[in-house]
Each structure stands twice: as structure tokens, then as C-alpha cells.
């Protein structure tokens, strides 16, 4: 407990191979530096659970690899073996959020539609089960075709602005935090922060996803709306399938950024939520005043809430317990440790039937508004 879970996912599009190669190299680098006694890497590994998935789309990669870097088409190997773009294949929780937002609905831990498993590919299903099995705090998925750090929301509320030629910024409640996370990578990168790359310009080398172009059913927004995880998308190279002789230069440009971004998981507040007998309370809701996006405690009662430096009023609540509110100050160097011990509420214990009804209504509403999976041909 109180050791955050971090993940990197590469090669979601099979023909975008630099992320795959970088994550394999990062794995080796972390092991080698740990063996050498590198204090920074040793501390990072001791204090963080680092998960690395070099390839989410191995079938698409095989198709692209057969073509090779010289004759590889821009879309050859992008999709999986069934011809599906995996970054357009996650349940569309954005539509539910925007619809329910009109009636003050949630933008966190939105339930999945009842028939979601029949709408996703095997790779998507495996990733959803994976991210549901761990209390991930921070994540990045690695793409190619541009050089920019992209943060949610990816999908615009107004779908009239689907074209990449029309822009509409669509921020999350954690917009300033996401911008800081994206800048951490872009400024640690060799040239991403300069802005001019691949014929495009992005100030500071970052962009809001929907401001670039609107993307539906992407993995980045799904992480934010369904789990506790804050994920950004890293576009790392103009050439989706760079030649072998370019890999060392790309590794040197990304090495510090890959490590620095992992370190970002150690900011904000963290701690335990327990009862009066010091038993951890799973699923307790952690709310921060002024930021309308909650996270929940893990199976052991530990929680992690990424926050920028500042003073915050934080409330922990759980069904059957009296909520507890504290004020805490977050510094720039390390997370603040804030524990909650909740007293059982014997007077106003919420009836289970009401909670069950709420979940059913949410699912029914979502089932009504979430469209069936579609395939699109944009970049990310």
C-alpha cells in the first residue's frame, strides 16, 4: 500500500513502432542502472510499481514489420488483425458524461454499458481487464506520426468540430495538472518543447486532444473517466516506422523524458482510508474542493490523488461511514501523506437498495446514449 502504480503502453497502432522500441530499451535501462546503483533509478524502482506494455497490437506490428521502414504505408499495420483501430474501440464514456453533465452527472468512475464486452476487440478487452486489476495513478501511451504531448479530453462535446481543421479546447477539471504533466515530458524531451515539428506547431510541445481534433472512444479519455488513472498520449516521431539507424538518437531524446514522467506519479497527496479498527476501506471516495473529479481508494484502502502544489480541502467518504474533511498543503518535491480514519455512521447508514438503484439507473442511461463502435481514420 501507498506505493503508486504507473504504466506505459506502446505500439497501440501496430505501425507506430518507436514507442515499442523505446519501452524495450527503457526496461533494459532501468534494470542496468539499478544494478549499477544509480540512486535516482534505485529510488524510483523502490518507490513505484512500474508496468510496461511494449506492444498492445502485436498483430498490427507484424504486418507493418513485413513492409519494413522503407516501403511502409502510412496506415499499413495500424489496425489489429480484425482491421479495427484500437484507439477507437474503448467504450464511449465521453458521450455519457456530456449527456449526464446536463443533469450534473459524474465525470469519474462512469459504469460500463451492459453489452460492452461484445463491442470491443480482444486487445481492448485485455487492457480494460488489466487496468481494472490495478489502481493505476499515472500513465502514458506512446504513438507516432507527430511530436507532441497530448492530454484529455480527446473528444469534443460538440461533434460538429470533428475535423482536425477546426479546434475547440475541451479541458478536464484537472486541466492545469494535465498541462503540467504534458510539459514535464515535452521539456525533458530533446526537441518536443520547441513546438515546430512535422510541419505542425504546438506551443510548449503540448496540446489538448480535442483542440487538435476530436477523437471518439480513445484509451486516454477512458482511463480518466473509468479509473483513477491520469493518462496522456505521447506522439514521438514524424516517421511512424523510423529506420534502425535513427533509434539511438531517438532514445537519447526520450530517455530523460521517460524517466521524468514516471517521477510525476509522486506528487499531490496519498495515504490510507481506514475504519476505527485500522482496517482499510476499499472504494472510499476522495473529493478535492474546487476540482469536480473524484478518485477512490484501492483494495487495501490506499489512495493517490495527483495535485499541483497548493493548499486543498480534501474529503474522504464511504458508504456507512461519516465523512472526514482535512485541509492540507501540497509541496513541489514529494506527495503529502494524509490518512483518513472514518467512523461508522450508525444513525444514517445509506440503504443498500438505494445505492443499487443508482447504479442501475446510470447503466440504463449510459446504454441509451452510448453509440455502437465505429472506425475512423485520424492519427492518434
Amino acid at each position: 500500500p501507498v506505493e503508486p502504480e504507473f504504466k506505459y503502453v506502446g505500439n497501440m497502432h501496430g505501425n507506430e513502432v518507436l514507442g515499442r522500441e523505446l519501452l524495450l530499451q527503457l526496461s533494459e535501462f532501468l534494470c542496468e542502472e539499478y544494478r549499477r546503483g544509480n540512486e535516482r533509478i534505485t529510488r524510483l524502482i523502490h518507490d513505484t510499481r512500474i508496468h510496461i506494455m511494449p506492444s498492445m497490437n502485436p498483430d498490427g506490428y507484424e504486418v507493418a514489420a513485413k513492409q519494413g521502414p522503407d516501403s511502409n504505408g502510412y496506415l499499413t499495420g495500424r489496425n489489429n488483425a480484425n482491421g479495427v483501430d484500437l484507439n477507437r474501440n474503448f467504450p464511449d464514456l465521453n458521450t455519457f458524461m456530456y449527456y449526464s453533465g446536463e443533469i450534473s452527472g459524474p465525470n469519474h468512475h462512469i459504469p460500463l454499458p451492459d453489452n460492452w464486452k461484445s463491442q470491443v476487440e480482444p486487445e481492448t478487452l485485455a487492457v480494460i481487464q488489466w487496468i481494472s486489476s490495478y489502481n493505476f495513478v499515472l500513465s502514458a501511451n506512446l504513438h507516432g506520426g507527430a511530436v507532441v504531448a497530448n492530454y484529455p479530453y480527446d473528444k469534443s462535446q460538440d461533434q460538429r468540430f470533428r475535423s482536425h481543421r477546426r479546434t475547440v479546447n475541451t479541458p478536464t477539471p484537472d486541466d492545469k495538472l494535465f498541462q503540467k504533466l504534458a510539459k514535464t515530458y515535452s521539456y525533458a524531451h530533446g526537441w518536443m518543447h520547441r513546438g515546430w515539428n512535422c510541419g505542425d506547431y504546438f506551443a510548449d510541445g503540448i496540446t489538448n486532444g480535442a483542440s487538435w481534433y476530436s477523437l471518439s472512444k480513445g484509451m486516454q479519455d477512458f482511463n480518466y473517466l473509468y479509473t483513477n488513472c491520469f493518462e496522456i498520449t505521447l506522439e514521438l516521431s514524424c516517421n511512424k516506422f523510423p529506420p534502425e539507424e535513427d533509434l539511438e538518437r531517438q532514445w537519447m531524446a526520450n530517455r530523460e523524458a521517460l524517466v521524468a514522467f514516471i517521477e510525476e506519479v509522486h506528487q499531490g497527496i496519498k495515504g490510507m482510508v481506514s475504519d476505527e479498527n485500522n482496517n482499510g476501506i476499499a472504494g472510499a471516495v476522495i473529493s478535492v474542493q474546487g476540482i469536480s473529479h473524484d478518485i477512490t481508494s484501492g483494495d487495501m484502502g490506499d489512495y493517490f490523488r495527483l495535485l499541483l502544489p497548493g493548499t486543498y480541502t480534501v474529503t474522504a467518504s464511504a458508504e456507512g461511514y461519516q465523512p472526514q474533511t482535512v485541509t492540507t498543503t501540497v509541496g513541489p518535491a514529494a506527495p503529502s501523506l494524509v490518512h483518513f480514519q472514518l467512523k461508522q455512521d450508525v444513525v444514517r447508514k445509506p440503504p443498500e437498495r438505494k445505492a443499487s438503484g443508482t447504479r442501475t439507473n446510470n447503466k440504463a442511461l449510459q446504454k441509451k446514449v452510448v453509440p455502437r463502435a465505429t472506425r475512423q481514420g485520424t492519427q492518434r
Side-chain angles (χ1 to χ4, degrees):
V2 201
E3 184 174 319
E5 312 269 357
F6 176 94
K7 62 182 168 73
Y8 272 133
V9 178
N11 204 208
M12 186 181 197
H13 292 142
N15 63 331
E16 298 172 11
V17 303
L18 180 59
R20 172 189 175 111
E21 295 299 319
L22 290 176
L23 292 183
L24 291 170
Q25 185 65 26
L26 175 66
S27 303
E28 184 176 3
F29 173 78
L30 293 175
C31 292
E32 288 178 345
E33 293 303 303
Y34 185 85
R35 284 177 175 175
R36 292 191 180 113
N38 182 314
E39 291 185 10
R40 181 187 184 192
I41 299 303
T42 299
R43 181 172 62 252
L44 187 63
I45 290 176
H46 283 176
D47 295 345
T48 321
R49 295 194 70 195
I50 303 170
H51 303 247
I52 295 177
M53 181 186 289
S55 180
M56 181 178 165
N57 185 2
D59 293 332
Y61 170 78
E62 292 297 332
V63 172
K66 287 180 181 179
Q67 302 293 317
D70 298 326
S71 59
N72 189 267
Y74 195 72
L75 297 176
T76 304
R78 173 186 176 89
N79 298 339
N80 74 344
N82 293 329
V84 175
D85 185 333
L86 297 178
N87 208 30
R88 309 291 188 280
N89 190 238
F90 284 77
D92 185 4
L93 303 185
N94 296 73
T95 295
F96 174 73
M97 173 192 65
Y98 293 141
Y99 180 86
S100 64
E102 300 173 6
I103 53 173
S104 300
N107 63 9
H108 41 252
H109 304 99
I110 298 175
L112 299 178
D114 292 333
N115 60 343
W116 72 273
K117 289 185 179 180
S118 65
Q119 297 181 356
V120 301
E121 291 297 299
E123 297 92 341
T124 311
L125 174 61
V127 167
I128 291 176
Q129 292 174 335
W130 177 49
I131 67 178
S132 300
S133 301
Y134 295 94
N135 187 18
F136 286 112
V137 180
L138 183 62
S139 171
N141 71 90
L142 280 56
H143 288 242
V147 178
V148 64
N150 172 97
Y151 56 90
Y153 290 119
D154 260 341
K155 183 175 182 178
S156 167
Q157 182 170 5
D158 190 340
Q159 287 302 287
R160 291 178 298 175
F161 298 101
R162 294 179 69 91
S163 169
H164 68 280
R165 299 184 185 276
R166 301 288 298 276
T167 60
V168 53
N169 189 61
T170 308
T172 68
D174 289 284
D175 187 57
K176 291 182 179 179
L177 173 63
F178 271 117
Q179 290 188 44
K180 193 257 187 180
L181 293 170
K183 286 180 182 179
T184 295
Y185 198 95
S186 71
Y187 275 90
H189 186 276
W191 51 83
M192 183 183 289
H193 59 281
R194 297 174 187 171
W196 284 109
N197 293 292
C198 315
D200 287 324
Y201 177 75
F202 300 99
D204 296 310
I206 71 171
T207 184
N208 171 262
S211 181
W212 187 8
Y213 61 85
S214 184
L215 181 160
S216 186
K217 303 180 183 178
M219 182 167 68
Q220 174 175 271
D221 286 5
F222 180 83
N223 271 269
Y224 187 70
L225 295 173
Y226 183 62
T227 77
N228 290 325
C229 189
F230 288 52
E231 179 168 285
I232 69 172
T233 301
L234 299 170
E235 302 279 352
L236 297 179
S237 61
C238 303
N239 188 344
K240 293 190 174 189
F241 203 121
E244 180 181 358
E245 56 267 22
D246 192 37
L247 292 181
E248 183 175 1
R249 182 180 75 98
Q250 291 286 355
W251 165 244
M252 296 307 298
N254 284 277
R255 184 181 67 183
E256 171 60 25
L258 287 165
V259 174
F261 188 74
I262 299 175
E263 292 173 328
E264 288 297 295
V265 78
H266 298 286
Q267 63 173 303
I269 60 174
K270 67 178 183 178
M272 299 292 298
V273 183
S274 60
D275 61 18
E276 294 176 278
N277 296 317
N278 292 319
N279 298 311
I281 301 176
V285 177
I286 308 298
S287 304
V288 180
Q289 184 176 314
I291 305 176
S292 59
H293 183 82
D294 299 339
I295 58 97
T296 55
S297 59
D299 291 340
M300 294 182 285
D302 53 341
Y303 77 91
F304 309 84
R305 196 3 168 143
L306 298 179
L307 293 167
L308 294 172
T311 300
Y312 299 90
T313 300
V314 185
T315 300
S317 58
E319 184 174 323
Y321 296 88
Q322 300 175 17
Q324 182 182 356
T325 300
V326 302
T327 299
T328 185
T329 298
V330 175
S336 298
L337 199 60
V338 181
H339 298 305
F340 294 92
Q341 190 169 47
L342 305 185
K343 297 180 179 180
Q344 189 169 6
D345 191 346
V346 295
V347 178
R348 298 181 58 188
K349 186 174 182 180
E352 293 184 5
R353 183 174 60 83
K354 182 178 180 180
S356 175
T358 301
R359 288 193 294 270
T360 302
N361 289 340
N362 281 346
K363 283 193 174 184
L365 177 61
Q366 185 186 61
K367 190 174 182 181
K368 176 181 177 182
V369 302
V370 173
R372 298 183 65 183
T374 58
R375 287 158 50 190
Q376 303 171 21
T378 44
Q379 289 182 12
R380 281 174 281 143

